[in-house]
Amino acid sequence: MAMGTHGSPDADGTPLARRLNYLFATMHPPGAPYTNAHVAEAISGGDEYGGVSLTEQYLSMLRNGKRTNPSPDVLRALAKFFAVPVGYLLGDLSPSQAERVEEEVRFLVAMRDKRVRGIALRSVGLPPEVQDSLAAIISQFRQQMNLPSDPADADGPGGPGGPRDPDDGAPSGRR
C-alpha cells in the first residue's frame, strides 16, 4: 500500500483507516495535528476511556490498514477521544449519516476560529431575510476570492490554509 508522508493510506485504505485519518487530519488543536503517540498515550492514560491500553504502533497499523478489526473497547475509546459516534468508526452508519458526522466535525473545526464564531454569533437573532442576505454577501466574497461556494468543498475545513487563531484551543478534554 502506498503511504503518504504522515503514515496515511492511499485512496485504497480501509474504511476504518480512512475515517481515522480524516479525524486525525481535522480534529486537532490549531497548528499541530495529533500524533499516534499523543492519542495512544491520552487514551491509555485516561480512565474516561475505559482502561483501554493502546500503543502508538497499533494505532499506526489501524491508520495504515494493516490492522482492520480492533476490539469494540478500542473503537469506543477512539470515538470518545475524537467525539464522534462509535458507529462512524465501525462503519455502521449509512453514507448520509457518515456524511452528517463529517459535516459536524467540519463545523466544530470552523468554530475554533474566533472570527468565524464572532460572525456566527452576531447573526443570532437577526431576521431570516437578513441572515440570507449575509450568506449571499459571504458567497460573493468567496466567489471573488476563487474559493468554493461551500467550504466543505475546499481542501479541508476552512479551505486551504484557512485562518487559525493560535490562541484558540482544542475542544474541551483534548490536547
Side-chain angles (χ1 to χ4, degrees), residues 16 20 23 39 43 46-54 58 62 70-90 92 174:
L16 175 60
L20 280 174
L23 294 171
V39 173
I43 288 174
D47 289 335
E48 70 266 29
Y49 299 106
V52 168
S53 179
L54 183 63
Y58 185 67
L62 290 173
S71 73
D73 289 340
V74 166
L75 288 172
R76 277 192 292 275
L78 286 165
K80 182 170 184 139
F81 181 87
F82 287 110
V84 296
V86 72
Y88 175 72
L89 294 177
L90 285 168
D92 285 348
R174 286 184 231 120

Side-chain angles (χ1 to χ4, degrees), residues 1 3 14 17 58 60-69:
M1 177 181 300
M3 299 297 290
T14 66
Y58 185 67
S60 175
M61 288 188 278
L62 290 173
R63 291 185 65 197
N64 67 29
K66 289 183 181 176
R67 293 286 186 266
T68 59
N69 194 21

Side-chain angles (χ1 to χ4, degrees), residues 66-135:
K66 289 183 181 176
R67 293 286 186 266
T68 59
N69 194 21
S71 73
D73 289 340
V74 166
L75 288 172
R76 277 192 292 275
L78 286 165
K80 182 170 184 139
F81 181 87
F82 287 110
V84 296
V86 72
Y88 175 72
L89 294 177
L90 285 168
D92 285 348
L93 304 180
S94 70
S96 64
Q97 290 171 320
E99 177 54 36
R100 173 85 174 147
V101 169
E102 291 173 1
E103 182 179 309
E104 289 174 7
V105 166
R106 288 189 298 272
F107 173 79
L108 289 173
V109 170
M111 287 296 108
R112 287 185 197 152
D113 185 310
K114 70 181 177 183
R115 291 172 298 240
V116 171
R117 255 191 336 266
I119 291 167
L121 290 172
R122 284 183 188 104
S123 71
V124 172
L126 294 175
E129 60 274 7
V130 173
Q131 290 177 354
D132 291 343
S133 294
L134 290 172

Side-chain angles (χ1 to χ4, degrees), residues 138-150 153-155 159-160:
I138 290 170
S139 292
Q140 289 173 353
F141 276 116
R142 292 188 67 81
Q143 185 177 17
Q144 288 173 359
M145 299 179 82
N146 294 320
L147 295 171
S149 59
D150 182 359
D153 295 337
D155 296 336

